[in-house]
Amino acid sequence: HVLLDPKYTLGGGQVVATDEFVGMHGGIGICIETGQALDLSRLNAIKNDILTVLRDEINLELEEENYCPSEVDVDIKHTISTAVEKDQNTLSSSSPPRRSLKQFVLEEAILLDECGFDWASIDGEIAGSYNFQLVSAGSPIGYCHLGGKDNGSYGENSDSASSVVPISRPFDSYLLFPKIQKLFVHGKPVVWLAKSVSEAEQQSIA
C-alpha cells in the first residue's frame, strides 16, 4: 500500500515526519513501515518494495542488482541472521516484478475527548484490530459516551443515564495506527482514517 498525506493529517496539519520535510523542500520523501526493527528476515522483500515505489510510482530508472545484508546487519542476532541466510537463498538478480500499489489518502484523525471512546464490532471483529481494516460508510467505528467518560470505555461501568453515540463516517474508512485503550491519551488520536484513492483522484492529488 501507498499512503498519501497531502494535508499533513498525521501531524494535525503540521509537518512532523522526515519524509514530509523532504517533500516540502523539493525532494521525494518516502517512509516505509517495516514492523519490528530487529527482524531482518524480510530485508530483501522490503528492498524490493522500495524499488517498486521508486520505479513504478516515481518513474526512476534503476540498475538491477542483488542485495546482500552487511556483516553488521546479520550479526545483530544469531537467530535473525539464520533467517536472513534462508532468505538469501531465494534472491534473484532480476528487478522486482512490476505491480500495482493500492493508494490511500489520510482524511482525518478521531481524537479522544471527555466523552471517551470504545471500539465497535465489525462482522465479529473488533474495530481497530489492525491497520487498513475497512469500516463501511455509515457503520460505527466506535462509540462515545456523552456526559460520562473522560478516558476510555463506556462499557459495564458507565453511567446508565448517559447516552452512547456511535461514531461513523459517510465514506468507506480504512483504519490506520489504531490505539488500544491503555494507550489512549486525552486530546490525542485514537485512530486515523484513510480513503482508497482511484486512479483519477491520484492525478489530482499529485
Side-chain angles (χ1 to χ4, degrees):
H1 299 324
V2 174
L3 178 63
L4 307 173
D5 188 15
K7 297 181 291 187
Y8 306 118
T9 304
L10 185 64
Q14 302 295 320
V15 174
V16 295
T18 303
D19 54 305
E20 294 174 336
F21 181 84
V22 171
M24 283 191 66
H25 291 80
I28 300 173
I30 299 174
C31 174
I32 181 166
E33 292 287 340
T34 61
Q36 292 292 331
L38 289 178
D39 181 8
L40 304 182
S41 63
R42 298 189 64 252
L43 284 175
N44 191 60
I46 292 167
K47 181 219 176 184
N48 284 347
D49 285 344
I50 294 173
L51 292 180
T52 298
V53 171
L54 293 176
R55 185 190 61 194
D56 295 352
E57 304 299 324
I58 307 177
N59 298 320
L60 293 183
E61 294 185 5
L62 303 169
E63 295 182 1
E64 295 181 358
E65 61 177 13
N66 282 329
Y67 174 67
C68 295
S70 69
E71 292 182 4
V72 174
D73 290 334
V74 298
D75 284 342
I76 291 178
K77 273 190 177 182
H78 174 71
T79 54
I80 293 177
S81 66
T82 301
V84 172
E85 289 171 7
K86 290 175 65 177
D87 190 49
Q88 283 292 100
N89 293 331
T90 65
L91 297 186
S92 169
S93 61
S94 61
S95 295
R98 189 172 294 272
R99 59 190 173 89
S100 176
L101 296 175
K102 191 169 184 179
Q103 293 197 4
F104 300 83
V105 61
L106 277 180
E107 283 294 314
E108 62 174 296
I110 295 178
L111 305 181
L112 183 69
D113 59 18
E114 64 278 0
C115 296
F117 181 88
D118 210 4
W119 292 106
S121 179
I122 307 172
D123 297 328
E125 287 187 320
I126 299 299
S129 297
Y130 52 88
N131 278 319
F132 292 103
Q133 187 177 16
L134 173 62
V135 180
S136 299
S139 297
I141 299 168
Y143 299 91
C144 67
H145 186 226
L146 294 181
K149 293 299 176 181
D150 182 44
N151 183 13
S153 172
Y154 63 78
E156 296 180 357
N157 298 322
S158 63
D159 182 356
S160 59
S162 300
S163 300
V164 173
V165 179
I167 299 172
S168 63
R169 293 296 181 266
F171 54 86
D172 289 347
S173 301
Y174 292 84
L175 307 183
L176 287 167
F177 316 121
K179 307 297 182 185
I180 58 176
Q181 188 174 332
K182 69 179 181 180
L183 297 181
F184 285 2
V185 176
H186 188 271
K188 300 293 184 180
V190 297
V191 67
W192 283 263
L193 307 181
K195 292 172 65 175
S196 180
V197 181
S198 68
E199 292 186 7
E201 291 172 323
Q202 291 177 27
Q203 298 300 321
S204 63
I205 293 174

